[in-house]
Amino acid sequence: MSTRDLAERFVASLEARDWDGWTATMQPDVVYEVPQTRERIRGRDRYLQFNREFPGDWHLSPAITVADDDHAVVVFRWRVGDAEEQEEQEAIVVFGFRDGLIATVTDFWPDPYEPPPGREHLTERW
Amino acid sequence: MSTRDLAERFVASLEARDWDGWTATMQPDVVYEVPQTRERIRGRDRYLQFNREFPGDWHLSPAITVADDDHAVVVFRWRVGDAEEQEEQEAIVVFGFRDGLIATVTDFWPDPYEPPPGREHLTERW
C-alpha cells in the first residue's frame, strides 16, 4: 500500500471508528506526538485506547493529502458534534513510515487567534 | 523546477531575505492565507511587503518537506531573535502550484497549550 493509501485509510477508518482497519495501517510500536502539548503516546494499543476514550462526537474529513516516499501529510477539517452546532477547524497530521506501515503520527491543532496589529493595509479577512 | 525544489527554495530564500529569489518561486497573483486569523493577502507584491515589514529578527529552518505533483508541505521551526533567547516553535506551510510556480501559500502557526485532563494514563510529556 502506498504512503498516500495508508494516510487516506488512516483518516477514513478513524472517522468510521473502524478500529481494526485503523490499527492495520500502523506499526505496533507507532509513536504518536502532539508537539503543542508535548505529549507522546508509545504503541498502537495505547494510541487506540486514546482514540476510543477521546470525548465527544468528533468527526474529521480530509481536505488536502500530500504524500511522497518518506512522509504523508493530511490537512483535515475537524469538529465535535453536529456540523450546524460548531464551526469546523483545520488540523494537520504528519505521518512517517517504516516497512510499509505508519511508524510516526504527529498532530497539530492550530487554534484561531486575532491577527496582530500593523498589517491591515495588506490583508483582507474572511 | 519540481514542487519540492520550489518549496525548499521558498523557505531558504525567505530565511536569507533573498527577495528576488523568493518572489521568483511564485505566481504574480499568488494568494497567501492564514486560516487561524482568517487573513488573506492577494498578490506577490503585497506578500513581499508583508514579509519585509514583518517585525523582529525572525528565522525559519525546514524540518520536514513533503511534496507530490499537486502540493508541498514544509514543517519548519520558527523563532524570533537568538536561538538561546527563545524556544523554537513548529509551524506548517502548505503550497499549491500552477504552471510550474507556487500559486497558493497557507500558513498554520500552532501555539502551545496545556493538555486537557483525562489522558495522563496514556501519555508521557517531554
Side-chain angles (χ1 to χ4, degrees):
Chain A
M1 203 179 304
S2 72
T3 59
R4 176 180 302 275
D5 289 342
L6 284 165
E8 290 176 348
R9 188 168 297 204
F10 178 100
V11 173
S13 58
L14 188 56
E15 168 64 15
R17 276 62 164 174
D18 169 13
W19 300 120
D20 288 343
W22 186 67
T23 52
T25 64
M26 286 176 275
Q27 293 284 356
D29 64 349
V30 66
V31 175
Y32 172 67
E33 290 186 346
V34 184
Q36 291 167 272
T37 58
R38 308 183 316 283
E39 287 176 297
R40 181 184 295 120
I41 296 175
R42 295 183 188 273
R44 198 169 56 186
D45 294 346
R46 280 171 176 263
Y47 188 23
L48 171 61
Q49 187 179 347
F50 174 80
N51 274 293
R52 279 182 179 276
E53 293 179 4
F54 203 95
D57 178 29
W58 47 269
H59 293 281
L60 61 169
S61 60
I64 296 173
T65 302
V66 192
D68 60 24
D69 290 347
D70 298 320
H71 297 94
V73 172
V74 180
V75 179
F76 60 96
R77 300 199 176 88
W78 187 84
R79 65 179 165 83
V80 175
D82 291 338
E84 295 75 26
E85 286 174 15
Q86 192 200 327
E87 202 168 344
E88 288 187 323
Q89 291 191 24
E90 285 179 305
I92 301 107
V93 56
V94 181
F95 299 101
F97 301 90
R98 191 181 75 245
D99 298 337
L101 289 175
I102 293 167
T104 62
V105 182
T106 307
D107 262 359
F108 295 95
W109 302 92
D111 276 328
Y113 63 95
E114 283 304 301
R119 54 207 216 186
E120 307 85 351
H121 57 303
L122 299 170
T123 62
E124 58 188 77
R125 306 289 301 280
W126 76 81
Chain B
M1 204 180 302
S2 71
T3 59
R4 175 179 303 275
D5 290 340
L6 284 165
E8 289 176 347
R9 187 168 297 203
F10 177 101
V11 173
S13 58
L14 187 58
E15 168 63 15
R17 277 62 165 173
D18 168 13
W19 301 121
D20 288 342
W22 186 67
T23 52
T25 64
M26 287 175 274
Q27 293 285 355
D29 63 349
V30 66
V31 175
Y32 173 67
E33 290 186 347
V34 184
Q36 291 168 272
T37 58
R38 306 184 317 283
E39 288 176 297
R40 181 184 294 120
I41 296 175
R42 294 182 188 273
R44 199 169 57 187
D45 294 347
R46 281 171 176 263
Y47 188 25
L48 171 62
Q49 188 179 347
F50 174 81
N51 275 293
R52 279 183 178 275
E53 293 179 4
F54 203 95
D57 178 29
W58 48 269
H59 293 281
L60 63 169
S61 61
I64 297 174
T65 301
V66 192
D68 60 22
D69 290 346
D70 298 319
H71 297 94
V73 172
V74 180
V75 180
F76 59 96
R77 300 198 177 88
W78 186 85
R79 64 178 166 84
V80 175
D82 290 337
E84 294 75 25
E85 288 174 14
Q86 192 199 329
E87 203 168 344
E88 287 187 323
Q89 291 191 23
E90 285 179 306
I92 301 108
V93 56
V94 181
F95 299 101
F97 300 90
R98 192 181 75 245
D99 298 336
L101 290 174
I102 293 169
T104 62
V105 182
T106 307
D107 261 0
F108 294 95
W109 302 92
D111 276 328
Y113 63 95
E114 284 303 301
R119 54 207 216 186
E120 306 84 353
H121 57 303
L122 299 170
T123 62
E124 58 187 77
R125 305 289 301 281
W126 78 80

